[in-house]
């Protein structure tokens, strides 16, 4: 991820066209690299015998070690770019914080529940898996999408931290509500799991501490030490451009490994994958567009509207897959639904990055409000 991306190019400004031309090959053709990574992963998982078992041999926090490494490499450069001394401006924005909590913990799970029951009434295992995906709010990959779309990096860090806290406290309880209580109240059945999700707060907390806590601490310490010893200008203009590409390399590596782990399962059940994909496509589209419209209606800048939208639309597929496998087994329909989640989420949210950048012309931006020196 090159530093020039974050000059916030606008197509209607001539000087921004030059900025776009200076994007690295990695940035300019990102959708191509992501699609290629998905295809490579699927082919490896399909045609290399025993690869999925080998990759899953060692785990960190219920996640395969290679995926864990990819996630940490992916998140560190993004969190190293956060200006931690400016976080107070985000916490003072009550509209943003309130809208994010409302979208993530009320609208998101309810929407996925509704779509899963409407589109998969005859497939209870897949339906349950999708509901679990809806409960797992994004804390990792959303930072990449937000950064690519030139969203507010400091706001993303705060919203991800809030999601992490809510996830630890509320995940198991919401699982019981949406999988057991609500279906019974609505006369849809006797529940899906026979007692909710048997997953402890500590297991969720451990996942959050590993996949958010480690790169967050590393990013904070890097910026603090770098600015103290070399100054902000050196840190942002010399150091960050050097480590920036590692985020996308980590993303592509993670995608290859993720799809290699489940390549055989996905390619051997194409019709089931298609059925699962339909509610996911509807979910990502509705959540993102609704959040974008809400941000516009609340008078937010482009940067914060974008951050609100991607943090609301993204999901924590690592947690969803780990919970589905832990509760229902690796070969279960619930686990397959969790695996299909990133298969749909990755290309859809990459596409929405470009939609967001196009829609930027209709918003006030943080740069518009800056006072010239």
């Amino acid at each position: 991820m090159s530093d020039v991306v974050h000059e916030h190019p606008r197509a209607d400004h001539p000087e921004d066209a030059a900025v776009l031309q200076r994007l690295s090959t990695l940035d300019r053709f990102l959708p191509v690299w992501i699609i290629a990574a998905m295809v490579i992963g699927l082919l490896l998982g399909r045609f290399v015998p025993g690869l999925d078992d080998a990759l899953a041999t060692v785990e960190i926090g219920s996640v395969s070690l290679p995926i864990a490494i990819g996630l940490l490499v992916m998140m560190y450069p993004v969190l190293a770019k956060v200006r931690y001394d400016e976080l107070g401006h985000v916490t003072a924005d009550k509209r943003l914080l309130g809208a994010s909590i409302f979208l993530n913990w009320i609208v998101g799970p309810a929407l996925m529940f509704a779509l899963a029951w409407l589109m998969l009434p005859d497939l209870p295992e897949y339906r349950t898996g999708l509901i679990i995906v809806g409960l797992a709010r994004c804390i990792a990959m959303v930072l990449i999408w937000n950064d690519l779309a030139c969203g507010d990096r400091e706001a993303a860090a705060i919203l991800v931290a809030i999601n992490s806290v809510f996830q630890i406290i509320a995940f198991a309880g919401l699982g019981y509500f949406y999988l057991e209580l609500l279906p019974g109240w609505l006369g849809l059945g006797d529940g899906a799991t026979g007692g909710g999700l048997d997953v402890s707060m500590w297991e969720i907390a451990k996942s959050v501490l590993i996949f958010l806590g480690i790169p967050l601490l590393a990013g904070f310490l890097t910026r603090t030490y770098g600015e103290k010893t070399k100054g902000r200008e050196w840190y942002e203009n010399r150091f960050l451009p050097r480590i920036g590409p590692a985020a996308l390399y980590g993303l592509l590596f993670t995608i290859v490994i993720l799809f290699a782990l489940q390549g055989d399962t996905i390619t051997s059940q194409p019709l089931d994958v298609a059925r699962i994909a339909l509610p996911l496509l509807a979910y990502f589209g509705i959540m993102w567009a609704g959040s974008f419209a809400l941000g516009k209606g609340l008078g937010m800048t482009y940067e914060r509207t974008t951050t609100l939208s991607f943090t609301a639309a993204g999901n924590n597929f690592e947690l969803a897959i780990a919970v589905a496998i832990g509760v229902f087994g690796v070969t279960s329909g619930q686990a397959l639904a969790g695996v299909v989640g990133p298969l749909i989420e990755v290309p859809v949210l990459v596409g929405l990055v470009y939609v967001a950048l196009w829609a930027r012309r209709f918003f006030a931006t943080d740069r518009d409000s800056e006072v010239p020196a």
Side-chain angles (χ1 to χ4, degrees), residues 26 29-44 145 248 251-253 255-256 259-260 342-351 354:
L26 179 65
F29 297 102
L30 178 63
V32 176
W33 310 138
I34 287 180
I35 293 172
M38 293 170 65
V39 171
I40 291 171
L42 289 172
L43 292 176
L44 287 173
W145 312 138
L248 291 186
L251 170 65
L252 295 175
F253 175 79
I255 291 171
V256 170
F259 287 96
L343 175 69
I344 305 303
E345 177 176 344
V346 169
V348 169
L349 292 191
V350 168
Y354 289 88

Side-chain angles (χ1 to χ4, degrees), residues 43-96:
L43 292 176
L44 287 173
R46 178 69 174 176
F47 296 110
V48 179
L51 179 63
D52 52 349
D53 292 332
L55 292 173
T57 299
V58 182
E59 294 184 340
I60 295 181
S62 301
V63 175
S64 167
L65 176 61
I67 290 182
I69 293 172
L71 288 171
L72 294 175
V73 172
M74 176 185 74
M75 292 179 65
Y76 164 67
V78 179
L79 290 168
K81 293 176 182 178
V82 173
R83 292 180 174 179
Y84 293 93
D85 57 347
E86 297 182 6
L87 293 182
H89 299 301
V90 179
T91 57
D93 190 342
K94 305 305 181 184
R95 293 178 306 169
L96 176 66

Side-chain angles (χ1 to χ4, degrees), residues 19-370:
V19 171
L20 290 170
Q21 292 300 315
R22 297 203 310 271
L23 291 178
S24 68
T25 301
L26 179 65
D27 289 323
R28 191 177 301 130
F29 297 102
L30 178 63
V32 176
W33 310 138
I34 287 180
I35 293 172
M38 293 170 65
V39 171
I40 291 171
L42 289 172
L43 292 176
L44 287 173
R46 178 69 174 176
F47 296 110
V48 179
L51 179 63
D52 52 349
D53 292 332
L55 292 173
T57 299
V58 182
E59 294 184 340
I60 295 181
S62 301
V63 175
S64 167
L65 176 61
I67 290 182
I69 293 172
L71 288 171
L72 294 175
V73 172
M74 176 185 74
M75 292 179 65
Y76 164 67
V78 179
L79 290 168
K81 293 176 182 178
V82 173
R83 292 180 174 179
Y84 293 93
D85 57 347
E86 297 182 6
L87 293 182
H89 299 301
V90 179
T91 57
D93 190 342
K94 305 305 181 184
R95 293 178 306 169
L96 176 66
L97 299 183
S100 179
I101 293 171
F102 173 72
L103 289 168
N104 273 286
W105 296 101
I106 298 178
V107 176
L111 176 62
M112 187 69 89
F113 174 87
L115 291 171
W117 274 97
L118 285 172
M119 297 186 180
L120 301 174
D122 57 328
L123 297 170
E125 289 190 359
Y126 298 155
R127 185 174 65 233
T128 296
L130 287 182
I131 293 172
I132 293 173
V133 171
L135 296 177
R137 312 312 300 169
C138 199
I139 67 168
M141 204 169 282
V142 68
L143 296 172
I144 292 286
W145 312 138
N146 179 73
D147 230 36
L148 289 170
C150 302
D152 188 319
R153 197 175 290 134
E154 288 69 39
I158 289 291
L159 297 186
V160 162
I162 291 174
N163 275 348
S164 301
V165 173
F166 271 81
Q167 205 149 241
I168 294 169
I169 297 172
F171 185 87
L174 286 174
Y176 181 71
F177 175 77
Y178 280 105
L179 295 175
E180 296 298 325
L181 293 181
L182 189 57
W185 292 347
L186 298 177
L188 299 173
D190 296 326
T193 66
L197 295 177
D198 185 19
V199 55
S200 70
M201 290 176 60
W202 165 241
E203 287 299 317
I204 300 172
K206 183 169 65 173
S207 175
V208 169
L209 288 172
I210 292 172
F211 297 114
L212 178 62
I214 292 176
L216 181 62
L217 178 61
F220 173 78
L221 292 177
T222 301
R223 177 171 279 276
T224 301
Y225 178 77
E227 289 192 355
K228 183 177 180 180
T229 57
K230 297 284 190 175
R232 174 164 287 189
E233 182 177 356
W234 174 89
Y235 183 83
E236 295 193 344
N237 296 327
R238 298 287 296 278
F239 178 71
L240 289 182
R242 294 176 184 174
I243 67 169
L248 291 186
Y249 294 141
L251 170 65
L252 295 175
F253 175 79
T254 302
I255 291 171
V256 170
I257 299 301
L258 176 67
F259 287 96
L261 276 168
Q262 303 293 339
D264 185 61
T265 302
I266 292 172
T267 55
S268 63
Q269 302 181 58
L271 293 180
D272 287 355
V273 169
R275 286 289 305 272
I276 297 169
L278 289 176
L280 284 168
L281 285 169
Y283 172 83
F284 292 129
I286 294 171
M287 280 299 295
W288 189 90
S291 303
F292 212 74
L294 178 61
K296 177 69 172 177
L298 291 174
M300 294 183 186
T301 63
Y302 167 81
E303 289 81 4
R304 293 203 171 174
T305 297
T306 297
T307 299
L308 177 68
S309 300
F310 281 101
T311 52
N315 291 90
N316 186 351
F317 65 82
E318 309 97 332
L319 176 61
I321 294 172
V323 169
I325 290 175
V327 176
F328 302 102
V330 69
T331 60
S332 65
Q334 290 89 343
L336 177 61
V339 169
V340 174
L343 175 69
I344 305 303
E345 177 176 344
V346 169
V348 169
L349 292 191
V350 168
L352 290 173
V353 166
Y354 289 88
V355 174
L357 291 171
W358 171 84
R360 187 176 187 269
R361 67 195 69 189
F362 302 111
F363 284 78
T365 68
D366 290 340
R367 189 176 69 174
D368 294 336
S369 62
E370 291 176 358

